[in-house]
């Protein structure tokens, strides 16, 4: 059983390696698409349903949002959505409590859905929201030279 058993073991090992393929993870891709009417929404839904691996497509006309769920790649979904000749981008909004400084000029967007802001990197310029230390020290109780009007 020495040589035959070894050969059988190696052939089983090789055949099991061929069968293992990496399965794509189920992903949810959200897009912001400019849609004006129900016809636009139907067109977007039809195109996104045709993406290979798409299991479900939800279109929200009020929020201008399309969500594709399945074994899809974001780049392919974005490319498919651009074939509709509509203005398309990946969903840029996140809940405002997930952003470190939600009221930075780059994050605030009037068109964002309620309780959402634009996703900005943590290194965004936040000098506009920080109060200058000189002003906060001017009215501090710990400063002996502070304003005594209060």
């Amino acid at each position: 059983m020495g040589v035959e058993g070894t050969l059988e073991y190696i052939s089983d090992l090789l055949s099991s390696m061929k069968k293992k393929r990496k399965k794509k993870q189920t992903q949810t891709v959200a897009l912001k698409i400019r849609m004006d009417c129900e016809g636009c929404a139907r067109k977007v839904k039809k195109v996104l349903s045709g993406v290979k691996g798409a299991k479900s497509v939800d279109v929200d006309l009020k929020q201008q949002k399309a969500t594709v769920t399945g074994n899809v790649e974001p780049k392919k979904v974005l490319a498919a959505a651009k074939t509709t000749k509509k203005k398309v981008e990946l969903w840029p909004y996140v809940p405002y409590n997930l952003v470190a400084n939600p009221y930075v000029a780059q994050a605030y967007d009037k068109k964002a859905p309620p309780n959402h802001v634009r996703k900005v990197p943590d290194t965004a310029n936040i000098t506009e929201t920080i109060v200058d230390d000189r002003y906060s020290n001017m009215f501090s109780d710990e400063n002996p030279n502070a304003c005594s009007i209060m």
Side-chain angles (χ1 to χ4, degrees):
M1 279 227 337
V3 175
E4 292 175 2
T6 306
L7 290 175
E8 187 175 327
Y9 171 76
I10 292 173
S11 67
D12 288 342
L13 185 66
L14 290 175
S15 65
S16 68
M17 288 177 71
K18 289 180 184 177
K19 291 180 185 177
K20 291 183 182 177
R21 287 187 179 175
K22 288 186 178 179
K23 290 186 178 181
K24 291 182 181 177
Q25 293 288 342
T26 300
Q27 285 188 328
T28 301
V29 179
L31 301 172
K32 180 181 178 186
I33 303 177
R34 179 161 166 75
M35 297 176 282
D36 299 321
C37 60
E38 288 293 325
C40 297
R42 270 186 265 128
K43 182 178 180 182
V44 168
K45 187 169 185 169
K46 182 179 177 185
V47 168
L48 293 179
S49 297
V51 175
K52 184 178 178 182
K55 294 194 175 167
S56 69
V57 177
D58 297 322
V59 177
D60 187 356
L61 186 60
K62 186 176 179 182
Q63 285 190 346
Q64 306 280 310
K65 181 178 183 179
T67 307
V68 181
T69 305
N71 300 330
V72 293
E73 294 179 24
K75 288 181 182 179
K76 289 184 179 180
V77 174
L78 189 62
K82 284 184 179 179
T83 62
T84 62
K85 306 272 195 275
K86 306 234 176 266
K87 185 178 176 185
V88 180
E89 63 179 316
L90 289 174
W91 188 250
Y93 303 118
V94 295
Y96 75 93
N97 57 358
L98 296 179
V99 178
N101 296 299
Y103 298 108
V104 177
Q106 297 97 340
Y108 185 72
D109 188 358
K110 290 180 183 178
K111 297 178 183 178
N115 299 326
H116 284 73
V117 292
R118 276 198 176 270
K119 184 176 184 179
V120 293
D122 292 335
T123 59
N125 187 6
I126 59 171
T127 57
E128 299 168 0
T129 61
I130 296 176
V131 178
D132 195 5
D133 286 338
R134 293 180 294 158
Y135 300 121
S136 60
N137 287 337
M138 191 181 300
F139 296 101
S140 173
D141 291 337
E142 298 170 0
N143 186 357
N145 299 323
C147 182
S148 60
I149 295 173
M150 299 169 83

